[in-house]
């Protein structure tokens, strides 16, 4: 125990750099996207660096990771990187190596170039049914189905601007889902079912009560099979299915085959480019879970992307487009239905109402 | 090896052009990895049930650390014993996620031998997430890992693994050294990263410029974004080349064939209207520029950020739980951050975190605390003067809380004095 | 008559080019009106003390009415007996405030004889406010007033006196008959105006077009604003005259010498970008127009609202007390309101007010109630389908309150069923 | 009593119309502002109507009202009107009468033409010390002082756009002060002083407690001169001086010579023209009461108007200007100080923070 190594932190970044990065660190002059998936960065030293981007599934085996290592060994002096959206980037300085690398990737079949510029890049996502305990949906499966459908936009630059799609499998939103061009969100719609016979054993009642943002949870005594237990009740009218009680107390699961599904959100962004960062807004309140390929979700996302592609100005993100044409037009052009659920009723609701006679017929 | 579980639904996810995680996992399952086979089996069951099959949490970890491991158990272990325990280890990634294959293989090797062989490259926070270990393997994995120079990241009410954009390593726009900052912060806070002692989680993310390629403004309690104070650098020759259609618009992001209309695509879309183009010369009224990056993004060979660089620091971004999602709010409009000279930043972070630690309720993020106590209170705590840059617009409600010492004569009054002048 | 009180401070307000209320009141004081003299005296005292000298309220009124009179007593009556009582009567003004002098004199005469002689033309709500009567005069004043065809306006938790812009009487843009609507509403609600029976006050204001010259969107619980559904009418000849510099910009609002640059001043400032000008023809893509009035304001001789006119109805505007100020929110995007055919409007108002009356807490305005219970709940109560025109943007938080009947299988579940699939 | 006339409502509007209005009701074609204070409206019947606008003080004597009647009798067939901002309008159809009318008004000395177009029109205001019981400032006196100073803008069209100034003497804001280009607001800054010996007699304690939006008021027992009374206490730290307690309970006055004064607000608007209606935002948190001519308030308002006049684009309202240049520039250009008080800390505070790196140095 005394030799135990702790608190060393991660390896220092520069241990992971190929020479070209060391030599040109902070010296880059400009970049140019040569074709979908291929970036050129030119340094003030004259160095030209070619980056080739392929999709990462994020959820992968060590074998798959080893595949990437092998490519990196063969073409990139044993170095490669991952992007902030889980794509994989191989870098070479020599144009002839670039062609060889591209060919090698093409031969793999599952390593298509893309993810750059005005297209759809990888979907940032979370665990889903592969690991987490609170999901309302799967993650990797939905991502696969959606990306298969949008694949033409992965390897092309034909959208008005970049479209960033994210997925989170519950309201905890482990990702920037709240600020994405299109966000896929797992939602519960039934209040927790309560295991009265075990709640007091498994959970701290006061913490559980305090966890509820709407104060829907009250302490109670419940009889189960003749025995009386200290437990809690939920006022279903006040529950908005956030799952926060379940986070604090395993005796209150929310998951339900009929209750759970997908909500779609649109028009968020993170960059400070042109317009300020924006939250995503509700587009579709609910789509049932349809494993294995979630056809309705896939279809509606395409509907949104196509309406955007057809109508937006170049260099205009989804949210900028919706705001320019007005949300009444957004719903019209995407063919989506507007419902009571789209009208905010949470804390800042009043700031989202239309305080003007300005709108379109 | 023969397939252990039939997965007709998952098999559907082997189709299509996007790489299939199912195909990948299947291969490893077929190669004999029981955890992979049972993971697929349990996932298939979830697809059938439309409900997940993992139990709620479970406190597991490595000695002396309060975080870095997320406990997970199957709720159908008899069917899928290979994933009965399926704990994750969050391994702190190298800043901006470059890997030397040799080093990465250290992790892959340990994980092949002692874990499920499944991983996430990377988790949403940025860690290398090793998915699926049995409890008894945690300590040995940790021992092997650290002996190779790797360490765990954060979880629980602690600092979470900081992350950053590619920055100076491969981007011409980085105004700060994102990697070095990320690494330094991670090292400085090792104790806070590994031993949860705060009201809730706390995240740092660092982007080199306002494009914010690590989405820090949406996902980090403390978002550090590179920017500049002087003028955008203009290369007039390259401007002419864009005007002449020799260079592709937006760095080729719309295809090499898409050229730039400087007036329509750059000048007219500048949010402050501070640019002018007379067909020959592009001028920028830098005083009115808000450094949104649009023009630079459009003409990367002609325009570059200035050279008096530093960062804007924003505090409070988070996901919706509990009080609704927040974006980061400007707290330090500008801070110089020359390599290695991070004293100001550390001081600031310390003050901010101390205030939060003292005042925050259990599971209250710093952004929520600022909402509860007021932005002004937070500014006072970090000793920063109020500035219009902190706000989008001044207050519109008249409900100002004056302090007693601001008002001549204070708050104490005698009703008798009042009644002397004003009959009841 | 000699001056009763020295008013050195107020005398300073006799200087300067703007008409002086002091000079006016002084004259009447000098002419022997004691209330005027004492009003000046008390006001001078307030200027010295920097505090007002009126007591809090006091319940006074006329028989059978619950409102229309605001009680007021001096808190220094021994010094200023002429204003010991200084109650106001709110007299309902004629819609859009045209007066036949003969009729106005009816009020002036009564007020000269029985009141202080001081008045506000007009109060902020719109009433003719008669300032300063003794209690014993209230009933006689009321009697004389009604016998001449005048009535009191509202106060207290009642309908308040509706008001409107000049509209069709002297404005080319009125899309609805503001006066007739104002008058009709006032008449329909006489009982509610005079006998407070609601949770709090309720105001109607009516503007003929989106310029909103009666500021209804900021000050009325129910704001009725004229608009149109068809195309803006264009007079091409007049467009040419503007282009040629023959007509002044903005109807002369910047001086007759200021001419219009159609591209810069009209097309470029159109908030929807739906206009085009090629130097000869002005075209409007009316489908994308939000009827903001800017272009029409700029070229009143060339452009006019369409002819398929009606109103947008917005609900909930109010001052800050208690929960902060609100602007009106669109509830009915469009309602036809042909003269005399106000059935839809009355139905709507009735539903809205009934819902508020049933659900509102004491001193809760309808706008605050909508905030408390949700805009959706209000839309349901007035039987209007949700429409994107109700909102500026859809919700961004994921906290949707589903109702039990929306979810297959409802909310009741058995934990045993759950545990059958999911071990504890 | 049985002959008592009630509920007759106001006289019908058309009883108050001169013939020209009756004949051209709804027929107006266009208008033209011939000079400051003089409007021309042209009807499809060919009728030309000239309107002359002069300031109303709003607070006036019956004698003053009689003056207007006389002018109306002499020039306008015995009709005139008031505007929604308390100005007075005389209408004639005949150009020669127009000149005579203008001359007559000029002779009066206190009836200057103006209030139209791109200038400053009358200040909408409230009672102040002339009638109300809750004011923190006077109304008519402040208006007189400010309008004297801005008089050049009353009779001219030289501002970038119309500037609407309003005044309310307390937070009740009896007027559209919350949506004005420039708003003058009376504010208290001391918590109520409590008359314990009379409170229970004069007020309903539960209603008083309920009236406080911040829950600063609690029931209490207080000893005064040896006698114990049921009363209330105010937690001064939570008081934001709204005066709502005093509205419900006369035993809790707020008025105080040192505590009370003026806050200035800017950038609100009501019209739906170009931009949507906007709230006014805090410009100056506090200026002491300076009767009789409020010189500091007058000076700062001029400072704002002049900065706006010098810098705004034509057709741009004060709020549109501030938003275009950014609030950091607004404070710079007007020379006003930015303080903690400008940062919102009420219900929607978080929606007013700067969630972007976009700002100017
Ligand atoms: C590699 C990566 C950084 C990293 O550390 O890994 C990166 C790299 C670049 N980004 Fe980024 N961005 C990366 C994530 C992001 C993100 C974060 C995200 O999506 O989660 C954002 C914010 C997105 C948002 O606003 O929602 C982001 C917003 C931008 C922008 C702003 C675009 C806009 O108009 O809003 C630019 C500028 C541009 O593209 O013109 C940019 C530009 C660039 C440039 C051109 C920078 C440069 O000069 O090298 C790089 C190539 C762009 C490309 O792929 O088209 N990058 N970029 C990330 C690649 C993700 C991926 O695999 O797809
Ligand atoms: C693994 C990961 C998702 C992923 O698939 O990548 C994850 C997984 C979990 N998150 Fe997360 N979060 C992860 C990144 C995030 C992010 C994104 C980020 O850090 O950039 C966010 C949004 C940003 C933020 O911090 O607000 C995020 C917001 C949450 C929240 C909501 C916090 C809030 O204040 O709104 C919770 C709920 C909680 O803490 O109780 C949560 C809770 C959880 C828990 C611990 C579930 C729980 O209820 O206790 C999940 C464990 C899953 C599992 O069993 O594997 N997770 N979580 C991410 C961490 C991997 C890594 O270390 O790299
Ligand atoms: C006389 C008048 C001001 C004036 O000088 O013109 C006035 C005077 C008073 N108002 Fe008002 N309000 C007057 C128009 C308004 C307006 C403007 C409007 O109606 O367009 C508003 C803002 C719009 C609104 O309704 O929100 C207004 C918002 C208030 C409020 C705050 C209400 C709120 O919900 O925020 C109060 C406080 C209250 O009701 O307790 C209030 C309360 C009062 C009281 C009754 C004082 C009180 O605390 O009880 C004042 C009596 C003054 C007096 O003694 O003369 N007055 N009040 C206006 C009525 C004259 C008329 O009938 O024409
Ligand atoms: C007479 C009056 C209506 C009434 O029923 O009494 C009136 C009359 C006219 N208004 Fe108004 N407005 C009147 C109060 C208002 C108000 C209400 C207020 O200020 O409290 C507003 C909303 C102000 C705001 O947004 O804060 C108002 C916003 C407008 C606008 C929109 C201007 C803008 O760009 O925002 C126009 C159009 C224009 O001026 O170009 C307009 C235009 C007009 C026109 C040109 C309409 C017409 O064709 O006759 C009239 C002459 C304008 C002028 O005086 O320059 N009127 N106008 C009111 C005169 C008040 C006064 O004595 O000064
Ligand atoms: S989004 Fe929810 S379900 Fe998905 S990983 Fe995060 S906490 Fe788990
Ligand atoms: S799901 Fe959320 S709202 Fe519902 S009871 Fe649990 S904590 Fe409360
Ligand atoms: S945030 Fe800026 S510096 Fe960092 S990678 Fe993106 S564009 Fe480059
Ligand atoms: S960075 Fe943005 S604001 Fe600055 S000049 Fe370029 S486009 Fe305009
Ligand atoms: S609101 Fe419209 S119709 Fe009414 S007076 Fe103003 S401009 Fe004319
Ligand atoms: S009314 Fe407004 S939105 Fe419509 S065309 Fe004219 S300027 Fe544009
Ligand atoms: S604003 Fe306040 S002080 Fe002024 S009249 Fe209205 S209630 Fe009275
Ligand atoms: S002034 Fe307002 S905040 Fe202060 S005690 Fe009275 S009601 Fe409460």
């Amino acid at each position: 125990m005394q030799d135990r190594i702790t608190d060393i932190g991660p390896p220092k970044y520069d241990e992971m750099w190929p020479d070209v990065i060391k030599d040109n660190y902070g010296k880059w002059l400009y970049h140019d996207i040569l074709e979908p998936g291929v970036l050129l960065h030119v340094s003030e030293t004259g160095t030209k660096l070619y980056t080739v981007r392929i999709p990462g599934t994020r959820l992968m085996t060590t074998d798959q990771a080893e595949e990437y290592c092998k490519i990196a060994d063969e073409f990139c002096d044993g170095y490669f990187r991952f992007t902030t959206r889980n794509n994989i980037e191989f870098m070479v300085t020599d144009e002839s190596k670039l062609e060889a690398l591209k060919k090698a990737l093409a031969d793999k079949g599952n390593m298509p170039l893309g993810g750059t510029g005005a297209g759809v890049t990888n979907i940032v996502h979370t665990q889903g049914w592969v690991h987490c305990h609170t999901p309302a949906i799967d993650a990797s499966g939905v991502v696969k189905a959606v990306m298969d459908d949008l694949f033409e936009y992965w390897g092309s630059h034909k959208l008005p601007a970049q479209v960033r799609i994210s997925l989170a499998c519950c309201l905890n939103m482990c990702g920037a889902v709240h600020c994405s061009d299109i966000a896929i969100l797992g939602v519960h719609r039934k209040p927790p079912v309560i295991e009265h016979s075990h709640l007091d054993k498994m959970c701290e009642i006061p913490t559980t009560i305090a966890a509820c943002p709407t104060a829907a949870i009250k302490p109670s005594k419940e009889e189960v099979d003749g025995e009386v237990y200290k437990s809690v009740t939920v006022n279903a009218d006040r529950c908005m299915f956030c799952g926060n009680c379940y986070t604090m107390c395993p005796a209150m699961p929310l998951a339900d085959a009929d209750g759970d599904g997908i909500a779609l959100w649109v028009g968020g962004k993170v960059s400070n480019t042109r317009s300020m960062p924006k939250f995503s807004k509700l587009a579709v309140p609910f789509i049932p879970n349809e494993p294995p390929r979630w056809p309705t979700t896939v279809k509606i996302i395409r509907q949104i992307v196509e309406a955007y592609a057809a109508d937006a100005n170049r260099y205009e993100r989804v949210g900028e487009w919706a705001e320019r044409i007005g949300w009444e037009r957004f719903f019209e052009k995407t063919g989506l239905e507007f419902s009571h659920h789209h009208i905010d009723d949470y804390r800042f609701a009043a700031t989202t109402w239309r305080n003007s006679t300005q709108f379109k017929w | 090896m023969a397939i252990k579980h039939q997965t007709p639904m998952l098999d559907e996810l082997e189709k299509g052009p996007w790489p299939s995680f199912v195909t990948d996992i299947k291969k490893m399952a077929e190669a004999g990895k029981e955890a992979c086979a049972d993971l697929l089996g349990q996932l298939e069951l979830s697809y059938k049930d439309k409900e997940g099959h993992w139990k709620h949490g479970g406190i597991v970890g490595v000695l002396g650390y309060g975080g870095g491991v997320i406990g997970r158990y199957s709720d159908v272990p008899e069917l899928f014993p290979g994933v009965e325990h399926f704990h994750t280890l969050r391994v702190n990634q190298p800043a901006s996620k470059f890997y030397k294959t040799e080093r990465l293989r250290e992790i892959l090797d340990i994980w092949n031998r002692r874990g499920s062989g499944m991983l996430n490259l990377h988790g949403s926070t940025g860690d290398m997430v090793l998915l699926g270990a049995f409890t008894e393997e945690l300590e040995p994995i940790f021992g092997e890992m650290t002996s190779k120079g790797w360490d765990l990241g954060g979880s629980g009410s602690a600092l979470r693994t900081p992350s950053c954009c590619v920055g100076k390593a491969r981007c011409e726009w980085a105004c700060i050294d994102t990697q070095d900052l990320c690494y330094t912060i991670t090292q400085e806070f090792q104790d806070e990263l590994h031993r949860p002692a705060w009201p809730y989680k706390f995240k740092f993310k660092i982007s080199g410029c306002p494009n914010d390629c690590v989405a820090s403004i949406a996902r980090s309690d403390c978002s550090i974004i590179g920017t500049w104070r002087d003028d955008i650098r203009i290369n007039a020759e390259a401007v002419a080349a864009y005007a002449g259609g020799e260079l592709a618009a937006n760095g080729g992001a719309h295809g090499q064939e898409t050229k730039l209309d400087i007036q329509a695509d750059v000048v007219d879309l500048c949010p402050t209207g501070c640019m002018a183009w007379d067909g020959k010369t592009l001028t920028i009224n830098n005083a009115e520029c808000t450094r949104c990056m649009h023009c630079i993004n459009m003409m990367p060979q002609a325009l570059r950020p200035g050279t008096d660089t530093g960062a804007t620091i924003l505090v409070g971004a988070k996901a919706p739980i509990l009080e609704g999602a927040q974006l980061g709010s400007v707290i330090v409009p500008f801070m110089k951050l020359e390599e290695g000279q991070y004293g100001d930043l550390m001081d600031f972070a310390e003050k901010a975190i101390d205030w939060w630690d003292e005042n925050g309720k259990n599971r209250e993020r710093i952004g929520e605390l600022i909402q509860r106590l007021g932005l002004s209170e937070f500014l006072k705590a970090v000793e920063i003067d109020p500035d219009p840059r902190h706000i989008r617009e001044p207050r519109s409600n008249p409900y100002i809380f004056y302090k007693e010492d601001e008002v001549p004569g204070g708050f104490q009054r005698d009703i008798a004095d009042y009644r002397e002048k004003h009959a009841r």
Side-chain angles (χ1 to χ4, degrees), chain A, chain B:
Chain A
M1 210 42 224
Q2 73 195 63
D3 290 340
R4 210 160 166 272
I5 306 167
T6 66
D7 301 301
I8 55 172
K12 191 156 182 234
Y13 47 91
D14 55 7
E15 294 178 38
M16 303 291 171
W17 287 346
D19 285 343
V20 57
I21 299 296
K22 275 195 193 98
D23 296 343
N24 294 285
Y25 195 76
K27 299 189 183 152
W28 301 106
L29 265 183
Y30 66 85
H31 77 278
D32 197 11
I33 309 182
L34 302 179
E35 62 182 292
V38 184
L39 305 166
L40 164 67
H41 283 83
V42 178
S43 162
E44 54 188 47
T45 64
T47 304
K48 290 185 169 187
L49 179 69
Y50 299 92
T51 300
V52 174
R53 187 180 293 170
I54 60 161
T57 51
R58 196 184 91 115
L59 173 64
M60 66 179 81
T61 63
T62 46
D63 282 358
Q64 183 63 37
E66 176 56 32
E67 289 260 319
Y68 301 133
C69 289
K70 284 202 189 107
I71 296 168
D73 287 346
E74 190 178 341
F75 297 96
C76 315
D77 306 326
Y79 295 90
F80 74 116
R81 79 176 288 267
F82 291 84
T83 70
T84 59
R85 295 188 77 88
N86 307 314
N87 286 319
I88 292 141
E89 291 184 335
F90 298 109
M91 283 152 281
V92 297
T93 45
D94 182 328
E95 228 180 318
S96 66
K97 263 202 187 164
L98 170 65
E99 291 314 311
L101 170 62
K102 280 165 60 178
K103 192 169 174 313
L105 295 172
D107 289 347
K108 294 280 178 191
N110 65 347
M111 298 193 183
L113 273 49
T116 52
V120 173
T121 180
N122 207 346
I123 299 184
V124 159
H125 64 278
T126 48
Q127 299 295 346
W129 294 331
V130 165
H131 196 270
C132 197
H133 58 159
T134 73
I137 59 173
D138 187 34
S140 313
V142 182
V143 166
K144 165 76 174 138
V146 171
M147 283 309 291
D148 277 343
D149 185 68
L150 295 181
F151 189 69
E152 56 175 306
Y153 299 109
W154 162 261
S156 65
H157 287 156
K158 59 186 181 184
L159 288 175
Q162 51 169 255
V163 172
R164 302 284 151 122
I165 309 183
S166 308
L167 176 147
C169 24
C170 84
L171 268 53
N172 284 342
M173 290 199 192
C174 300
V177 159
H178 54 300
C179 298
S180 296
D181 293 288
I182 301 180
I184 305 169
L185 178 68
V187 296
H188 301 289
R189 293 185 307 162
K190 299 197 179 193
V193 48
I194 309 176
E195 189 159 25
H196 295 302
S197 56
H198 287 71
L199 190 139
D200 194 26
K201 269 169 275 179
M202 296 166 75
C203 320
E204 256 194 70
I205 290 182
T207 338
T208 306
I209 290 171
C212 180
T214 66
I217 307 179
K218 294 270 173 297
S220 69
K221 297 230 148 97
E222 304 285 340
E223 209 188 293
V224 180
D225 297 333
E227 226 176 306
V228 175
Y229 297 92
K230 278 210 268 184
S231 184
V232 300
T233 45
V234 168
N235 176 349
D237 283 348
R238 299 187 66 127
C239 181
M240 33 74 160
F241 324 103
C242 70
N244 210 45
C245 48
Y246 181 61
T247 297
M248 301 313 286
C249 173
M252 300 179 73
L254 281 88
D256 184 274
D258 295 325
D260 300 350
I262 284 173
L264 294 179
W265 306 75
V266 295
K269 74 191 272 280
V270 163
S271 75
N272 291 281
T273 305
R274 291 173 311 279
S275 58
M276 295 192 182
K278 301 179 204 296
F279 288 123
S280 317
K281 318 291 182 312
L282 184 63
V284 182
F286 190 78
I287 307 167
N289 264 318
E290 299 169 328
R293 294 201 62 103
W294 280 267
T296 309
T297 299
V298 167
K299 185 181 132 262
I300 295 178
I301 290 177
R302 172 162 282 270
Q303 221 168 296
I304 296 169
V305 171
E306 283 182 355
Y308 163 70
D311 196 62
N313 292 339
R314 187 164 283 189
Y315 311 121
E316 191 171 55
R317 300 278 298 265
V318 172
E320 292 169 329
W321 167 61
E323 287 178 9
R324 178 175 57 80
I325 65 172
W327 288 96
E328 56 274 34
R329 281 285 178 277
F330 171 86
F331 282 93
E332 219 176 274
K333 298 203 179 202
T334 54
L336 301 177
E337 195 197 340
F338 187 86
S339 73
H340 278 292
H341 298 314
H342 291 90
I343 300 179
D344 195 3
D345 50 8
Y346 198 54
R347 289 177 55 209
F348 300 140
T351 66
T352 68
W353 302 342
R354 179 100 55 162
N355 300 129
S356 170
T357 58
Q358 289 187 18
F359 53 78
K360 299 176 183 180
W361 302 121
Chain B
M1 219 181 104
I3 260 292
K4 193 174 165 192
H5 307 284
Q6 291 302 313
T7 55
M9 292 180 93
L10 290 180
D11 295 350
E12 291 296 314
L13 291 173
E14 293 198 82
K15 301 173 182 164
W18 192 250
S20 169
F21 68 100
V22 174
T23 306
D24 175 18
I25 306 176
K26 255 187 165 172
K27 268 196 245 157
M28 195 133 175
E30 280 162 17
K33 198 80 184 169
E34 195 197 357
C36 291
D38 280 348
L39 180 64
L40 284 178
Q42 178 168 318
L43 190 58
E44 179 77 13
L45 181 65
S46 296
Y47 273 48
K48 244 182 70 202
D49 288 348
K50 301 188 194 172
E51 286 172 13
H53 278 290
W54 300 107
K55 283 191 197 174
H56 190 292
I59 298 162
V60 292
V62 301
L63 277 169
Y65 277 32
V69 181
I70 309 292
R72 190 64 71 228
Y73 300 90
S74 170
D75 74 10
V76 279
E78 56 307 330
L79 297 176
F80 310 109
V83 296
E84 174 170 2
H85 297 195
F86 206 65
H87 312 320
T88 62
L89 290 113
R90 295 182 175 172
V91 179
N92 200 327
Q93 85 288 0
S96 64
K97 300 171 189 147
F98 279 85
Y99 289 95
K100 185 169 184 170
T101 52
E102 202 178 285
R103 299 295 313 271
L104 178 56
R105 285 192 179 104
E106 295 163 357
I107 296 291
L108 300 180
D109 168 58
I110 301 171
W111 194 238
N112 253 333
R113 286 184 287 107
R114 296 193 170 274
S116 70
M118 294 301 314
L119 32 75
N120 287 145
L121 288 172
H122 293 78
S124 288
T125 305
D127 292 289
M128 309 165 76
V129 175
L130 310 187
L131 278 173
F134 274 70
T135 310
E136 57 274 23
E137 294 292 340
L138 294 173
E139 196 57 36
I141 290 169
F142 179 74
E144 289 196 25
M145 220 171 67
T146 49
S147 74
K148 295 281 186 189
W150 297 89
D151 200 349
L152 290 179
S155 72
S157 293
L159 185 79
R160 297 305 181 86
T161 308
S163 69
C164 63
C165 77
V166 66
K168 287 184 190 280
R170 208 205 50 211
C171 181
E172 68 269 30
W173 295 325
C175 296
I176 49 176
D177 191 336
T178 60
Q179 269 111 310
D180 194 51
L181 272 161
C182 185
Y183 180 74
T184 309
I185 292 169
T186 310
Q187 293 296 343
E188 284 276 330
F189 282 94
Q190 280 294 299
D191 192 32
E192 291 79 2
L193 186 70
H194 294 136
R195 286 158 208 97
W198 288 336
Y200 204 10
K201 60 186 81 168
F202 194 96
K203 298 179 181 177
F204 283 97
K205 294 196 203 291
I206 305 132
S207 277
C209 82
N211 281 331
D212 197 4
C213 294
V214 77
S216 72
I217 207 168
R219 312 190 285 151
S220 53
D221 301 274
C222 183
S223 158
I224 303 170
I225 301 184
T227 192
W228 65 95
R229 278 189 300 200
D230 52 347
D231 291 355
I232 291 176
R233 285 175 283 172
I234 306 185
N235 174 336
E237 254 170 72
V239 171
Y242 279 106
E246 292 156 41
L247 300 174
N250 196 192
H254 299 260
Q256 285 293 326
E257 65 291 357
T258 304
K259 305 303 180 189
L260 204 60
D261 176 338
I262 294 183
Q263 183 63 42
D265 299 340
V266 184
V267 174
D268 290 351
L269 296 182
C270 166
T272 63
C274 71
M275 308 183 81
W277 169 243
D278 61 6
K280 286 222 173 99
T281 314
L282 183 68
T283 44
I284 301 178
N285 179 357
N286 281 278
E288 301 307 309
C289 165
T290 53
R291 303 168 311 291
C292 83
M293 293 295 297
H294 174 72
C295 58
I296 299 175
N297 293 342
M298 287 297 121
M299 326 171 69
Q301 300 197 34
L303 303 180
R304 302 172 72 191
T307 54
D308 180 12
T309 56
T312 297
I313 301 180
L314 304 96
V315 173
K318 58 176 291 293
I321 305 298
L322 297 177
E323 296 292 339
Q326 283 182 244
L327 285 156
S329 296
V330 173
I331 300 299
V332 186
F334 189 82
M335 186 185 276
K336 269 279 173 199
L337 285 173
E338 298 300 326
E339 208 201 309
Q341 300 178 333
Y342 306 141
D344 288 353
L345 177 66
M346 297 304 163
D347 284 355
F348 169 75
E350 203 170 304
K351 275 185 246 170
I353 292 174
D354 281 355
W355 176 79
W356 169 56
D357 199 16
E358 253 164 55
N359 296 285
K361 294 193 280 196
N362 185 33
R363 299 191 75 228
E364 185 174 46
R365 295 285 283 264
I366 191 166
E368 283 166 330
L369 178 64
I370 297 175
Q371 277 208 41
R372 181 161 62 84
L373 299 187
L375 179 56
S376 264
E377 287 308 306
F378 178 59
L379 290 175
K380 285 174 199 161
V382 292
E383 296 170 66
I384 289 175
D385 285 337
D387 186 301
R389 289 157 192 86
H390 290 130
I391 54 156
R392 212 184 283 254
E393 61 185 37
R395 72 161 64 232
S396 60
N397 68 72
Y399 296 152
I400 302 179
F401 288 86
Y402 280 95
K403 299 265 154 54
E404 180 152 19
D405 58 16
E406 293 179 273
V407 185
F411 286 173
Q412 295 313 317
R413 295 190 282 159
D414 191 338
I415 186 71
D417 295 344
Y418 185 86
R419 284 292 174 232
E420 218 162 85
K421 288 199 206 147
H422 307 276
R424 194 169 298 120

